[in-house]
Amino acid sequence: MTDKTTDNKAYLYSASAPTSEQEGRFLAFLRKKYGEETELVFVEERELSDGFRLQIGNDVFNWTREARLEQLKESLKNLANRDGELIPLIRENLHDWTPKACAEQIGRVLTVGDGIATVSGLDSAFYGEILIFAGGLRGMVQSLTEKCVGCVLFGDASDAGVAAGTLVRRTGRISGVPVGEEFIGRVVNALGEPVDGKGAVAADKYRPAESPAPGIVDRAPVKRPLQTGILAIDSMFAIGKGQRELIIGDRQTGKTSIAVDTILNQKNKNVICIYVAIGQKSSSVASLVHTLEKKGAMDYTIVVSATAGDSAPLQYLAPYAGCAMGEYFMEKGRDVLIVYDDLSKHAVAYRSLSLLLGRAPGREAYPGDVFYLHSRLLERSAHLSEKRGGGSMTALPVVETQAGDVSAYIPTNIISITDGQIFLESDLFYSGQRPAVNVGLSVSRVGGDAQTKAVKYAAGTLRLDLAQYREMEVFTQFAGDLDETTKAQLCHGQRLMRLLRQPQNRPMSHHGEVIALVAAGSKALDGVEPEKSRDFVMSLIDLCEREHSELCLRIDETERLTDEDKAEIIGAAARVIL
């Protein structure tokens, strides 16, 4: 796009005509900048009694009182980045400050509707730039054509009085959100504005919603474990700090529960958690926030909410805003956990925007860049090198499937981007197995590298035993008499499945998981009724915490399990009475 004007006339809007001397100065400035043929045309505008506005083509030089005060405001904002006492700096700044004649482009709305506006006259606008509409409504450039730009609106156009002919002003700023420590414990929208009724948030800085992902040189291997507190996941599909692990399954199969339990398990572990709600009901988000507050998890959690009642542009922007907040902490050397719940609705919101902007639809009416939509988001999760501070951001994207179809367009896209997936099966869920983790389809591509030594040693052949049990369970439906070995494997598998059932919002401690896995691996559960497997293990953990507290402390601190520790746990299991 170009900055050149097609008209050699400059229009001076003011309450009074300029004097000959003023007109000569205007012409000297204009002809130096736009050519010797430039003419000056005076247009009376009585409302501009405190200044003037000079317009040539799409360039506007605003010398009104409001514009000069805005310049002063921006100048004072820059003082926050300077060292020294604030009051003397303000005095110095006011003494030396003089307004500048800065050109800004003013456009006009051509059409508006369904959260989309097309604007003419903004020849230099760039993709992702924030525009300000008359009335204060903000929008973001999402489409660039030869004659106009397409803009998504962050609000209701009718409420703000935006219609055809409305003036639009460029800001020169890419879309972003305020970030800072004060956002911890708050519920904000996709623009970083608080929606929890607890007042304004003091931001440390403004950060672009989209930024390049860390390069290979800036990354470190994913080796440090991020424990979920869910035995089925930590023992078989370990998640490391900096990893991207997909949670996938049908509607109402416990996807959000796994994410919430993982957040609850980060208490007192110096991990900042960010939960991004996309397209959910407001009541569901409120219930989740209440659970986090009740468990004390809001002390280290930020909730970014773009509910089903919000516009598609806000739903589209929400995960990028949450990611920008996470990057702020990651670059300060902190560990961050971010949950995107869910990216299926995010893709639908983006499809709506794309179709309204006139982009060509592809498979399932999604635009051709829908893969890039999520890849540029998830690639920003990383474990930074020590040179970059050593911080990390772990992503748990959530995707909803239809009838367990993991081969659909959006699920396959995100599976190919992430480092593994936890697949929740409807049949398991409805049979009472919760969390309903399918052992065969779930995987972590980081695997044992992200497990503690203790859990890795204690888990042993758990995953293999469960896989054999599931296969044998299907086979026994068609078989008659079973041999003793097969019966023993079935009984052992039944008890393992019962052990992996875990109540919601009750994550297990690290030593608790190790004790449970040792009990399962030593066949201590085989003499217990399957229905009492979970009760047996809970009693064993309680016994160890009371009578073997040094053992529990040693496992938590060293994250290792010795043969002596294992024997001590097996000995305690023999003394458990249900």
Side-chain angles (χ1 to χ4, degrees):
M1 307 192 87
T2 178
D3 284 325
K4 293 181 180 178
T5 176
T6 57
D7 190 356
N8 63 348
K9 290 185 178 180
Y11 297 88
L12 176 65
Y13 299 88
S14 178
S16 57
T19 64
S20 300
E21 181 185 355
Q22 290 171 334
E23 184 175 353
R25 289 164 60 187
F26 277 127
L27 286 171
F29 166 75
L30 292 168
R31 288 172 178 171
K32 181 179 179 181
K33 188 173 181 66
Y34 297 100
E36 292 296 328
E37 297 180 356
T38 307
E39 301 177 12
L40 183 66
V41 178
F42 168 68
V43 179
E44 184 178 10
E45 194 168 315
R46 296 187 180 277
E47 297 176 356
L48 297 179
S49 58
D50 56 354
F52 63 85
R53 189 173 70 250
L54 183 64
Q55 181 170 351
I56 176 168
N58 293 326
D59 290 349
V60 177
F61 296 89
N62 200 339
W63 196 258
T64 60
R65 179 172 56 187
E66 289 79 4
R68 282 174 283 174
L69 288 175
E70 188 65 28
Q71 286 185 31
L72 177 60
K73 181 180 176 182
E74 290 296 323
S75 177
L76 292 175
K77 276 184 179 179
N78 294 331
L79 295 180
N81 299 322
R82 292 175 56 184
D83 297 327
E85 292 294 331
L86 191 58
I87 298 300
L89 285 174
I90 292 176
R91 287 174 179 162
E92 176 188 344
N93 195 73
L94 289 174
H95 183 266
D96 298 337
W97 179 76
T98 54
K100 299 177 182 178
C102 298
E104 62 178 13
Q105 284 192 347
I106 302 292
R108 289 187 180 273
V109 174
L110 295 176
T111 60
V112 62
D114 297 316
I116 303 292
T118 55
V119 181
S120 65
L122 301 182
D123 293 345
S124 299
F126 54 85
Y127 185 86
E129 182 180 4
I130 293 296
L131 304 180
I132 303 291
F133 292 76
L137 181 65
R138 282 182 286 177
M140 179 172 63
V141 176
Q142 280 288 287
S143 178
L144 300 171
T145 64
E146 188 175 348
K147 296 182 179 179
C148 61
V149 299
C151 177
V152 297
L153 305 178
F154 297 139
D156 194 308
S158 58
D159 291 345
V162 175
T166 300
L167 292 177
V168 187
R169 180 170 59 87
R170 287 185 61 198
T171 63
R173 298 172 69 181
I174 196 166
S175 60
V177 288
V179 296
E181 297 281 346
E182 295 296 321
F183 283 88
I184 299 175
R186 301 299 299 272
V187 183
V188 299
N189 63 15
L191 301 176
E193 300 166 343
V195 293
D196 53 7
K198 296 181 181 179
V201 182
D204 292 348
K205 60 190 293 189
Y206 183 89
R207 187 180 179 91
E210 298 202 42
S211 58
I216 295 175
V217 176
D218 295 325
R219 295 175 183 251
V222 176
K223 290 185 177 180
R224 295 185 296 147
L226 186 138
Q227 293 174 305
T228 65
I230 301 170
L231 184 61
I233 296 174
D234 290 339
S235 60
M236 295 182 285
F237 317 107
I239 300 173
K241 291 181 178 177
Q243 189 176 341
R244 302 154 300 176
E245 184 78 1
L246 174 63
I247 303 174
I248 185 169
D250 285 2
R251 184 174 178 272
Q252 297 294 323
T253 52
K255 300 186 296 297
T256 300
S257 298
I258 286 180
V260 172
D261 283 358
T262 305
I263 292 174
L264 296 179
N265 197 52
Q266 306 314 308
K267 191 171 185 177
N268 301 322
K269 294 184 179 178
N270 197 28
V271 176
I272 302 298
C273 299
I274 301 173
Y275 179 85
V276 184
I278 310 165
Q280 299 183 31
K281 294 186 294 185
S282 298
S283 58
S284 299
V285 178
S287 176
L288 182 140
V289 172
H290 175 72
T291 299
L292 295 178
E293 288 177 340
K294 185 179 177 181
K295 298 288 185 177
M298 282 303 289
D299 295 340
Y300 53 87
T301 303
I302 303 170
V303 176
V304 181
S305 175
T307 63
D310 290 325
S311 63
L314 290 176
Q315 293 183 43
Y316 160 74
L317 186 62
Y320 299 105
C323 189
M325 293 179 181
E327 285 176 327
Y328 168 79
F329 294 103
M330 177 177 69
E331 291 180 357
K332 293 178 71 174
R334 308 278 292 275
D335 293 318
V336 179
L337 168 67
I338 185 165
V339 177
Y340 304 110
D341 191 6
D342 67 72
L343 293 187
S344 303
K345 295 184 177 69
H346 182 235
V348 170
Y350 184 65
R351 177 173 63 184
S352 301
L353 294 180
S354 299
L355 293 175
L356 290 168
L357 287 167
R359 293 177 184 164
R363 177 178 167 185
E364 297 178 26
Y366 287 104
D369 63 342
V370 74
F371 179 90
Y372 183 56
L373 171 77
H374 292 139
S375 65
R376 71 177 188 263
L377 171 69
L378 295 172
E379 285 294 331
R380 292 160 70 180
S381 297
H383 179 203
L384 297 180
S385 63
E386 290 299 323
K387 187 176 180 180
R388 287 285 304 273
S392 71
M393 183 159 63
T394 308
L396 294 181
V398 177
V399 166
E400 183 179 306
T401 56
Q402 303 291 330
D405 183 13
V406 295
S407 63
Y409 190 29
I410 300 302
T412 51
N413 277 350
I414 301 178
I415 285 172
S416 65
I417 298 167
T418 51
D419 307 311
Q421 68 274 348
I422 297 166
F423 180 68
L424 304 181
E425 187 179 344
S426 299
D427 291 343
L428 284 174
F429 183 84
Y430 295 128
S431 68
Q433 187 69 30
R434 302 175 186 179
V437 179
N438 182 303
V439 178
L441 293 179
S442 300
V443 66
S444 171
R445 297 187 182 96
V446 174
D449 286 347
Q451 269 182 323
T452 65
K453 302 287 186 185
V455 170
K456 191 174 183 178
Y457 178 37
T461 60
L462 175 64
R463 187 173 182 183
L464 180 61
D465 291 344
L466 285 171
Q468 289 177 342
Y469 165 72
R470 291 298 301 276
E471 184 179 348
M472 203 169 296
E473 187 184 32
V474 174
F475 174 74
T476 55
Q477 295 176 5
F478 308 99
D481 295 334
L482 300 174
D483 59 82
E484 293 302 320
T485 304
T486 303
K487 286 181 179 179
Q489 286 181 329
L490 284 171
C491 290
H492 183 59
Q494 287 173 354
R495 285 157 178 78
L496 291 180
M497 293 295 288
R498 290 280 182 170
L499 173 63
L500 296 180
R501 292 186 182 183
Q502 192 166 333
Q504 188 175 344
N505 299 336
R506 288 177 59 185
M508 294 179 68
S509 62
H510 177 242
H511 67 263
E513 290 182 339
V514 172
I515 292 169
L517 291 170
V518 169
S522 65
K523 305 293 177 71
L525 296 177
D526 290 0
V528 182
E529 291 293 325
E531 294 78 9
K532 296 182 179 179
S533 298
R534 184 78 187 174
D535 295 335
F536 177 87
V537 169
M538 290 297 103
S539 298
L540 174 59
I541 293 172
D542 183 59
L543 176 65
C544 290
E545 288 176 343
R546 283 187 287 105
E547 300 183 11
H548 304 269
S549 57
E550 291 183 0
L551 168 67
C552 298
L553 187 62
R554 187 163 61 249
I555 292 172
D556 286 338
E557 288 183 347
T558 64
E559 296 186 345
R560 293 179 179 275
L561 180 71
T562 64
D563 292 336
E564 292 76 13
D565 295 335
K566 188 175 181 179
E568 188 175 347
I569 295 170
I570 294 172
R575 295 186 284 117
V576 173
I577 301 175
L578 290 177

